[in-house]
Amino acid sequence: QLQASGGGLVQAGGSLKLSCSASRRTFSGNIVGWFRQGPGKEREFVAAIGWSGGSTSYADSVQGRFTISRDNAQNTMYLQMNSLKPEDTAVYYCAVRLKYGLGSSALDYDYWGQGTQVTVSS
């Protein structure tokens, strides 16, 4: 139901934009977010956005560098990643939350995409 894309290999300081498309039934009216899981690490919260796009939340580690957005007409969410660092290397997952409130735990989300690999070289 969720299809993430846009990952790749980039040098430190570079940028990437991830996309995640979903069915209208899954996407419409729901909070969506991005998580990531680096090698040997647990899945961690990156960013979330409310259904209207008016509310956003970011992990401290990406605040000011990453921007989450959504296009409700296209049932698509995005993650613009700038000033990338080697520690941003991870598989990035998009997710949908069915309940009210921006969640920052993986347990808060109900549907998940398959993940897209982001590798940042130093």
Side-chain angles (χ1 to χ4, degrees):
Q1 292 180 319
L2 297 170
Q3 184 72 34
S5 63
L9 174 64
V10 64
Q11 288 187 334
S15 299
L16 279 176
K17 186 173 184 177
L18 306 183
S19 301
C20 178
S21 60
S23 66
R24 184 173 185 272
R25 179 177 182 180
T26 300
F27 191 82
S28 181
N30 290 320
I31 292 164
V32 294
W34 289 95
F35 287 75
R36 66 187 182 186
Q37 188 164 12
K41 298 181 180 180
E42 294 185 354
R43 192 168 298 190
E44 64 174 1
F45 171 75
V46 175
I49 186 168
W51 69 270
S52 70
S55 298
T56 57
S57 176
Y58 294 92
D60 290 343
S61 59
V62 307
Q63 180 76 48
R65 299 188 297 123
F66 290 11
T67 302
I68 188 171
S69 61
R70 64 190 294 165
D71 183 339
N72 289 334
Q74 299 295 324
N75 299 316
T76 302
M77 57 189 287
Y78 305 97
L79 185 68
Q80 176 67 48
M81 304 185 295
N82 298 328
S83 302
L84 283 162
K85 305 175 181 179
E87 50 264 43
D88 294 319
T89 294
V91 177
Y92 283 70
Y93 298 90
C94 53
V96 172
R97 171 172 164 80
L98 299 180
K99 297 181 177 64
Y100 177 79
L102 297 177
S104 60
S105 167
L107 297 176
D108 294 333
Y109 289 77
D110 301 280
Y111 298 114
W112 292 85
Q114 85 289 359
T116 183
Q117 176 70 47
V118 172
T119 302
V120 184
S121 63
S122 57

CSV table of all heavy atoms in Angstrom, one decimal, residues 56-108:
chain,number,residue,atom,x,y,z
A,56,THR,N,3.9,19.6,11.8
A,56,THR,CA,5.1,18.7,11.5
A,56,THR,C,5.9,18.5,12.8
A,56,THR,O,5.8,19.3,13.8
A,56,THR,CB,6.0,19.3,10.5
A,56,THR,OG1,6.5,20.6,10.9
A,56,THR,CG2,5.3,19.5,9.1
A,57,SER,N,6.6,17.4,12.8
A,57,SER,CA,7.5,17.1,13.9
A,57,SER,C,8.7,16.5,13.4
A,57,SER,O,8.7,15.7,12.4
A,57,SER,CB,6.8,16.1,14.8
A,57,SER,OG,7.6,15.7,15.9
A,58,TYR,N,9.9,16.8,14.0
A,58,TYR,CA,11.2,16.3,13.5
A,58,TYR,C,12.0,15.7,14.6
A,58,TYR,O,12.0,16.3,15.7
A,58,TYR,CB,12.0,17.4,12.8
A,58,TYR,CG,11.3,17.9,11.5
A,58,TYR,CD1,10.5,19.0,11.5
A,58,TYR,CD2,11.6,17.3,10.3
A,58,TYR,CE1,9.9,19.5,10.4
A,58,TYR,CE2,11.1,17.8,9.1
A,58,TYR,CZ,10.2,18.9,9.2
A,58,TYR,OH,9.6,19.3,8.0
A,59,ALA,N,12.8,14.8,14.3
A,59,ALA,CA,13.8,14.3,15.3
A,59,ALA,C,14.9,15.4,15.4
A,59,ALA,O,15.2,16.1,14.4
A,59,ALA,CB,14.5,13.0,14.8
A,60,ASP,N,15.5,15.6,16.6
A,60,ASP,CA,16.5,16.6,16.8
A,60,ASP,C,17.6,16.4,15.8
A,60,ASP,O,18.2,17.4,15.3
A,60,ASP,CB,17.0,16.5,18.2
A,60,ASP,CG,16.0,17.0,19.2
A,60,ASP,OD1,15.0,17.6,18.8
A,60,ASP,OD2,16.2,16.7,20.4
A,61,SER,N,18.0,15.2,15.4
A,61,SER,CA,19.1,15.0,14.6
A,61,SER,C,18.9,15.5,13.1
A,61,SER,O,19.9,15.6,12.4
A,61,SER,CB,19.4,13.5,14.6
A,61,SER,OG,18.3,12.7,14.1
A,62,VAL,N,17.7,15.7,12.7
A,62,VAL,CA,17.5,16.1,11.4
A,62,VAL,C,16.8,17.5,11.3
A,62,VAL,O,16.7,18.1,10.2
A,62,VAL,CB,16.6,15.1,10.6
A,62,VAL,CG1,17.2,13.7,10.7
A,62,VAL,CG2,15.1,15.1,11.1
A,63,GLN,N,16.4,18.1,12.4
A,63,GLN,CA,15.8,19.4,12.5
A,63,GLN,C,16.7,20.4,11.7
A,63,GLN,O,17.9,20.5,12.0
A,63,GLN,CB,15.6,19.8,13.9
A,63,GLN,CG,14.9,21.2,14.1
A,63,GLN,CD,13.4,21.1,13.8
A,63,GLN,OE1,12.8,20.2,14.3
A,63,GLN,NE2,12.9,22.0,13.0
A,64,GLY,N,16.1,21.2,10.8
A,64,GLY,CA,16.8,22.2,10.1
A,64,GLY,C,17.5,21.7,8.8
A,64,GLY,O,17.9,22.5,8.0
A,65,ARG,N,17.5,20.4,8.7
A,65,ARG,CA,18.2,19.8,7.5
A,65,ARG,C,17.1,19.1,6.6
A,65,ARG,O,17.3,19.1,5.4
A,65,ARG,CB,19.3,18.8,7.8
A,65,ARG,CG,20.4,19.5,8.6
A,65,ARG,CD,21.6,18.5,8.8
A,65,ARG,NE,21.2,17.3,9.6
A,65,ARG,CZ,21.3,16.1,9.1
A,65,ARG,NH1,21.8,15.8,7.9
A,65,ARG,NH2,21.0,15.0,9.9
A,66,PHE,N,16.2,18.5,7.2
A,66,PHE,CA,15.2,17.7,6.5
A,66,PHE,C,13.8,18.4,6.5
A,66,PHE,O,13.5,19.1,7.5
A,66,PHE,CB,15.0,16.3,7.1
A,66,PHE,CG,16.2,15.4,7.0
A,66,PHE,CD1,17.4,15.8,6.5
A,66,PHE,CD2,16.0,14.0,7.3
A,66,PHE,CE1,18.4,14.9,6.3
A,66,PHE,CE2,17.1,13.1,7.2
A,66,PHE,CZ,18.3,13.6,6.7
A,67,THR,N,13.0,18.2,5.5
A,67,THR,CA,11.7,18.8,5.4
A,67,THR,C,10.7,17.7,4.9
A,67,THR,O,10.9,17.2,3.9
A,67,THR,CB,11.7,20.0,4.5
A,67,THR,OG1,12.6,21.0,4.9
A,67,THR,CG2,10.3,20.6,4.5
A,68,ILE,N,9.7,17.5,5.7
A,68,ILE,CA,8.6,16.6,5.3
A,68,ILE,C,7.5,17.4,4.7
A,68,ILE,O,7.2,18.5,5.2
A,68,ILE,CB,8.2,15.7,6.5
A,68,ILE,CG1,7.2,14.6,6.1
A,68,ILE,CG2,7.5,16.6,7.6
A,68,ILE,CD1,6.9,13.6,7.2
A,69,SER,N,6.9,16.8,3.7
A,69,SER,CA,5.7,17.5,3.1
A,69,SER,C,4.8,16.4,2.5
A,69,SER,O,5.2,15.2,2.4
A,69,SER,CB,6.2,18.4,2.0
A,69,SER,OG,6.9,17.8,1.0
A,70,ARG,N,3.7,16.8,2.1
A,70,ARG,CA,2.7,15.9,1.5
A,70,ARG,C,1.9,16.6,0.4
A,70,ARG,O,1.6,17.8,0.5
A,70,ARG,CB,1.8,15.3,2.5
A,70,ARG,CG,0.9,16.2,3.2
A,70,ARG,CD,0.2,15.6,4.4
A,70,ARG,NE,-0.7,14.5,4.0
A,70,ARG,CZ,-1.2,13.6,4.9
A,70,ARG,NH1,-0.8,13.6,6.2
A,70,ARG,NH2,-2.1,12.7,4.5
A,71,ASP,N,1.5,15.8,-0.6
A,71,ASP,CA,0.6,16.3,-1.6
A,71,ASP,C,-0.7,15.4,-1.6
A,71,ASP,O,-0.7,14.3,-2.1
A,71,ASP,CB,1.2,16.2,-3.0
A,71,ASP,CG,0.4,16.8,-4.1
A,71,ASP,OD1,-0.8,16.8,-4.0
A,71,ASP,OD2,1.0,17.1,-5.2
A,72,ASN,N,-1.7,15.9,-0.9
A,72,ASN,CA,-2.9,15.1,-0.7
A,72,ASN,C,-3.6,14.8,-2.1
A,72,ASN,O,-4.3,13.7,-2.2
A,72,ASN,CB,-3.8,15.8,0.2
A,72,ASN,CG,-3.3,15.7,1.7
A,72,ASN,OD1,-2.5,14.9,2.0
A,72,ASN,ND2,-3.7,16.7,2.5
A,73,ALA,N,-3.5,15.6,-3.0
A,73,ALA,CA,-4.1,15.4,-4.3
A,73,ALA,C,-3.5,14.2,-5.0
A,73,ALA,O,-4.1,13.5,-5.8
A,73,ALA,CB,-4.0,16.6,-5.2
A,74,GLN,N,-2.2,14.0,-4.8
A,74,GLN,CA,-1.4,12.9,-5.4
A,74,GLN,C,-1.2,11.7,-4.5
A,74,GLN,O,-0.6,10.7,-4.8
A,74,GLN,CB,0.0,13.4,-5.9
A,74,GLN,CG,-0.1,14.5,-6.9
A,74,GLN,CD,-0.7,14.0,-8.2
A,74,GLN,OE1,-0.5,12.9,-8.6
A,74,GLN,NE2,-1.5,14.9,-8.8
A,75,ASN,N,-1.7,11.8,-3.2
A,75,ASN,CA,-1.5,10.7,-2.2
A,75,ASN,C,-0.1,10.4,-2.1
A,75,ASN,O,0.3,9.2,-2.1
A,75,ASN,CB,-2.4,9.5,-2.6
A,75,ASN,CG,-3.8,9.8,-2.7
A,75,ASN,OD1,-4.4,10.4,-1.8
A,75,ASN,ND2,-4.5,9.3,-3.8
A,76,THR,N,0.7,11.4,-2.0
A,76,THR,CA,2.2,11.2,-1.9
A,76,THR,C,2.8,12.1,-0.8
A,76,THR,O,2.3,13.2,-0.6
A,76,THR,CB,2.8,11.6,-3.3
A,76,THR,OG1,2.3,10.8,-4.3
A,76,THR,CG2,4.3,11.3,-3.2
A,77,MET,N,3.8,11.5,-0.1
A,77,MET,CA,4.5,12.3,0.9
A,77,MET,C,6.0,12.3,0.4
A,77,MET,O,6.4,11.5,-0.4
A,77,MET,CB,4.4,11.6,2.2
A,77,MET,CG,4.9,10.2,2.2
A,77,MET,SD,4.5,9.3,3.8
A,77,MET,CE,5.7,10.0,4.9
A,78,TYR,N,6.7,13.3,1.0
A,78,TYR,CA,8.1,13.6,0.6
A,78,TYR,C,8.9,13.8,1.8
A,78,TYR,O,8.5,14.2,2.8
A,78,TYR,CB,8.2,14.8,-0.3
A,78,TYR,CG,7.3,14.7,-1.6
A,78,TYR,CD1,6.0,15.3,-1.6
A,78,TYR,CD2,7.7,14.0,-2.7
A,78,TYR,CE1,5.2,15.3,-2.7
A,78,TYR,CE2,6.9,14.0,-3.8
A,78,TYR,CZ,5.6,14.6,-3.8
A,78,TYR,OH,4.8,14.5,-4.9
A,79,LEU,N,10.2,13.6,1.6
A,79,LEU,CA,11.2,13.9,2.6
A,79,LEU,C,12.4,14.6,1.8
A,79,LEU,O,13.2,13.8,1.2
A,79,LEU,CB,11.7,12.7,3.4
A,79,LEU,CG,12.6,13.1,4.6
A,79,LEU,CD1,11.9,13.9,5.7
A,79,LEU,CD2,13.2,11.8,5.2
A,80,GLN,N,12.5,15.9,1.9
A,80,GLN,CA,13.6,16.6,1.3
A,80,GLN,C,14.8,16.6,2.4
A,80,GLN,O,14.6,17.0,3.5
A,80,GLN,CB,13.3,18.0,1.0
A,80,GLN,CG,14.4,18.8,0.5
A,80,GLN,CD,14.9,18.4,-0.9
A,80,GLN,OE1,14.1,18.1,-1.8
A,80,GLN,NE2,16.2,18.2,-1.0
A,81,MET,N,15.9,16.0,2.0
A,81,MET,CA,17.0,15.8,2.9
A,81,MET,C,18.2,16.7,2.3
A,81,MET,O,18.7,16.4,1.2
A,81,MET,CB,17.4,14.4,3.0
A,81,MET,CG,16.3,13.5,3.4
A,81,MET,SD,16.8,11.8,3.7
A,81,MET,CE,17.2,11.3,2.1
A,82,ASN,N,18.6,17.6,3.1
A,82,ASN,CA,19.7,18.5,2.7
A,82,ASN,C,20.9,18.4,3.7
A,82,ASN,O,20.7,17.9,4.8
A,82,ASN,CB,19.3,20.0,2.7
A,82,ASN,CG,18.2,20.2,1.6
A,82,ASN,OD1,18.2,19.6,0.6
A,82,ASN,ND2,17.3,21.2,1.9
A,83,SER,N,22.0,18.8,3.3
A,83,SER,CA,23.2,18.8,4.2
A,83,SER,C,23.4,17.4,4.8
A,83,SER,O,23.6,17.2,6.0
A,83,SER,CB,23.1,19.8,5.3
A,83,SER,OG,23.0,21.1,4.8
A,84,LEU,N,23.3,16.4,4.0
A,84,LEU,CA,23.4,15.0,4.4
A,84,LEU,C,24.7,14.7,5.0
A,84,LEU,O,25.8,15.2,4.6
A,84,LEU,CB,23.1,14.0,3.3
A,84,LEU,CG,21.6,13.9,2.9
A,84,LEU,CD1,21.4,13.4,1.6
A,84,LEU,CD2,20.9,13.1,4.0
A,85,LYS,N,24.7,13.8,6.0
A,85,LYS,CA,25.9,13.4,6.8
A,85,LYS,C,26.0,11.9,6.7
A,85,LYS,O,25.0,11.2,6.5
A,85,LYS,CB,25.8,13.8,8.2
A,85,LYS,CG,25.5,15.3,8.5
A,85,LYS,CD,25.3,15.5,10.0
A,85,LYS,CE,25.0,17.0,10.2
A,85,LYS,NZ,24.7,17.3,11.7
A,86,PRO,N,27.2,11.3,6.8
A,86,PRO,CA,27.4,9.9,6.8
A,86,PRO,C,26.5,9.2,7.8
A,86,PRO,O,26.0,8.1,7.5
A,86,PRO,CB,28.8,9.7,7.1
A,86,PRO,CG,29.5,10.9,6.6
A,86,PRO,CD,28.5,12.0,6.9
A,87,GLU,N,26.2,9.8,8.9
A,87,GLU,CA,25.3,9.2,10.0
A,87,GLU,C,23.9,9.1,9.5
A,87,GLU,O,23.0,8.5,10.2
A,87,GLU,CB,25.5,9.9,11.3
A,87,GLU,CG,25.3,11.4,11.3
A,87,GLU,CD,26.7,12.1,11.2
A,87,GLU,OE1,27.6,11.6,10.4
A,87,GLU,OE2,26.9,13.1,11.9
A,88,ASP,N,23.5,9.8,8.4
A,88,ASP,CA,22.2,9.7,7.9
A,88,ASP,C,22.0,8.4,7.1
A,88,ASP,O,20.9,8.1,6.6
A,88,ASP,CB,21.8,10.9,7.0
A,88,ASP,CG,21.8,12.2,7.8
A,88,ASP,OD1,21.2,12.2,8.9
A,88,ASP,OD2,22.3,13.2,7.3
A,89,THR,N,23.0,7.7,6.9
A,89,THR,CA,23.0,6.4,6.1
A,89,THR,C,22.0,5.4,6.8
A,89,THR,O,22.2,5.1,8.0
A,89,THR,CB,24.4,5.8,5.9
A,89,THR,OG1,25.2,6.7,5.1
A,89,THR,CG2,24.3,4.4,5.3
A,90,ALA,N,21.0,5.0,6.1
A,90,ALA,CA,20.0,4.1,6.6
A,90,ALA,C,19.0,3.7,5.5
A,90,ALA,O,19.0,4.2,4.4
A,90,ALA,CB,19.3,4.8,7.8
A,91,VAL,N,18.2,2.7,5.9
A,91,VAL,CA,17.0,2.4,5.1
A,91,VAL,C,15.9,3.3,5.6
A,91,VAL,O,15.7,3.3,6.8
A,91,VAL,CB,16.6,0.9,5.2
A,91,VAL,CG1,15.4,0.7,4.4
A,91,VAL,CG2,17.8,0.1,4.6
A,92,TYR,N,15.3,4.0,4.7
A,92,TYR,CA,14.3,5.0,5.1
A,92,TYR,C,12.9,4.4,4.8
A,92,TYR,O,12.7,3.9,3.7
A,92,TYR,CB,14.4,6.3,4.4
A,92,TYR,CG,15.5,7.1,5.0
A,92,TYR,CD1,16.9,6.8,4.9
A,92,TYR,CD2,15.2,8.3,5.8
A,92,TYR,CE1,17.9,7.5,5.5
A,92,TYR,CE2,16.2,9.0,6.4
A,92,TYR,CZ,17.6,8.6,6.2
A,92,TYR,OH,18.6,9.4,6.8
A,93,TYR,N,12.0,4.4,5.8
A,93,TYR,CA,10.7,3.9,5.6
A,93,TYR,C,9.6,5.0,5.8
A,93,TYR,O,9.7,5.8,6.7
A,93,TYR,CB,10.4,2.8,6.7
A,93,TYR,CG,11.3,1.6,6.7
A,93,TYR,CD1,12.5,1.6,7.4
A,93,TYR,CD2,11.0,0.5,6.0
A,93,TYR,CE1,13.4,0.5,7.4
A,93,TYR,CE2,11.8,-0.6,5.9
A,93,TYR,CZ,13.0,-0.6,6.6
A,93,TYR,OH,13.9,-1.7,6.6
A,94,CYS,N,8.6,4.9,5.0
A,94,CYS,CA,7.4,5.7,5.2
A,94,CYS,C,6.3,4.9,5.9
A,94,CYS,O,6.3,3.7,5.8
A,94,CYS,CB,6.9,6.3,3.8
A,94,CYS,SG,6.5,5.0,2.6
A,95,ALA,N,5.5,5.6,6.6
A,95,ALA,CA,4.5,5.0,7.4
A,95,ALA,C,3.3,5.8,7.6
A,95,ALA,O,3.3,7.1,7.4
A,95,ALA,CB,5.1,4.6,8.8
A,96,VAL,N,2.2,5.2,7.8
A,96,VAL,CA,0.9,5.9,8.0
A,96,VAL,C,0.3,5.6,9.4
A,96,VAL,O,0.4,4.4,9.8
A,96,VAL,CB,-0.1,5.4,7.0
A,96,VAL,CG1,-1.5,6.0,7.3
A,96,VAL,CG2,0.3,5.9,5.6
A,97,ARG,N,-0.1,6.6,10.1
A,97,ARG,CA,-0.7,6.4,11.4
A,97,ARG,C,-2.2,6.7,11.3
A,97,ARG,O,-2.6,7.7,10.8
A,97,ARG,CB,-0.1,7.4,12.4
A,97,ARG,CG,-0.7,7.6,13.7
A,97,ARG,CD,0.2,8.4,14.6
A,97,ARG,NE,-0.5,8.9,15.8
A,97,ARG,CZ,-0.7,8.1,16.9
A,97,ARG,NH1,-0.3,6.9,17.0
A,97,ARG,NH2,-1.4,8.7,18.0
A,98,LEU,N,-3.0,5.8,11.9
A,98,LEU,CA,-4.5,5.9,11.7
A,98,LEU,C,-5.1,6.7,12.9
A,98,LEU,O,-6.2,7.2,12.8
A,98,LEU,CB,-5.1,4.5,11.7
A,98,LEU,CG,-4.7,3.6,10.5
A,98,LEU,CD1,-5.4,2.3,10.6
A,98,LEU,CD2,-4.9,4.3,9.2
A,99,LYS,N,-4.3,6.9,14.0
A,99,LYS,CA,-4.9,7.6,15.1
A,99,LYS,C,-4.5,9.0,15.1
A,99,LYS,O,-3.7,9.5,14.4
A,99,LYS,CB,-4.4,6.9,16.4
A,99,LYS,CG,-4.8,5.5,16.6
A,99,LYS,CD,-4.3,4.9,17.9
A,99,LYS,CE,-4.8,3.5,18.1
A,99,LYS,NZ,-4.3,2.5,17.0
A,100,TYR,N,-5.2,9.8,16.0
A,100,TYR,CA,-4.9,11.2,16.1
A,100,TYR,C,-3.6,11.5,16.8
A,100,TYR,O,-3.2,10.8,17.7
A,100,TYR,CB,-6.1,11.9,16.9
A,100,TYR,CG,-5.9,13.3,17.2
A,100,TYR,CD1,-6.2,14.2,16.2
A,100,TYR,CD2,-5.5,13.8,18.4
A,100,TYR,CE1,-6.1,15.6,16.4
A,100,TYR,CE2,-5.3,15.2,18.6
A,100,TYR,CZ,-5.6,16.1,17.6
A,100,TYR,OH,-5.4,17.4,17.8
A,101,GLY,N,-2.9,12.6,16.4
A,101,GLY,CA,-1.7,13.0,17.0
A,101,GLY,C,-0.4,12.6,16.3
A,101,GLY,O,-0.4,11.4,15.9
A,102,LEU,N,0.5,13.4,16.2
A,102,LEU,CA,1.8,13.1,15.5
A,102,LEU,C,2.5,12.1,16.4
A,102,LEU,O,2.9,12.5,17.5
A,102,LEU,CB,2.6,14.3,15.3
A,102,LEU,CG,2.0,15.4,14.3
A,102,LEU,CD1,3.0,16.6,14.2
A,102,LEU,CD2,1.8,14.8,12.9
A,103,GLY,N,2.8,10.9,15.9
A,103,GLY,CA,3.5,10.0,16.7
A,103,GLY,C,5.0,9.9,16.3
A,103,GLY,O,5.4,10.2,15.2
A,104,SER,N,5.8,9.6,17.3
A,104,SER,CA,7.3,9.5,17.1
A,104,SER,C,7.8,8.1,17.4
A,104,SER,O,9.0,7.9,17.4
A,104,SER,CB,8.0,10.5,17.9
A,104,SER,OG,7.8,10.3,19.3
A,105,SER,N,6.9,7.2,17.7
A,105,SER,CA,7.3,5.8,17.9
A,105,SER,C,6.9,4.9,16.8
A,105,SER,O,5.8,5.1,16.2
A,105,SER,CB,6.8,5.3,19.2
A,105,SER,OG,6.9,3.9,19.3
A,106,ALA,N,7.7,4.0,16.4
A,106,ALA,CA,7.3,3.1,15.3
A,106,ALA,C,6.0,2.3,15.7
A,106,ALA,O,5.2,2.0,14.8
A,106,ALA,CB,8.4,2.0,15.0
A,107,LEU,N,5.8,2.1,17.0
A,107,LEU,CA,4.5,1.5,17.4
A,107,LEU,C,3.3,2.3,17.2
A,107,LEU,O,2.2,1.8,17.2
A,107,LEU,CB,4.6,1.1,18.9
A,107,LEU,CG,5.8,0.2,19.3
A,107,LEU,CD1,5.8,0.0,20.8
A,107,LEU,CD2,5.6,-1.2,18.6
A,108,ASP,N,3.5,3.6,16.9
A,108,ASP,CA,2.3,4.5,16.7
A,108,ASP,C,1.8,4.3,15.3
A,108,ASP,O,0.7,4.9,15.0
A,108,ASP,CB,2.7,5.9,16.9
A,108,ASP,CG,3.1,6.2,18.4
A,108,ASP,OD1,2.5,5.5,19.2
A,108,ASP,OD2,3.9,7.2,18.6
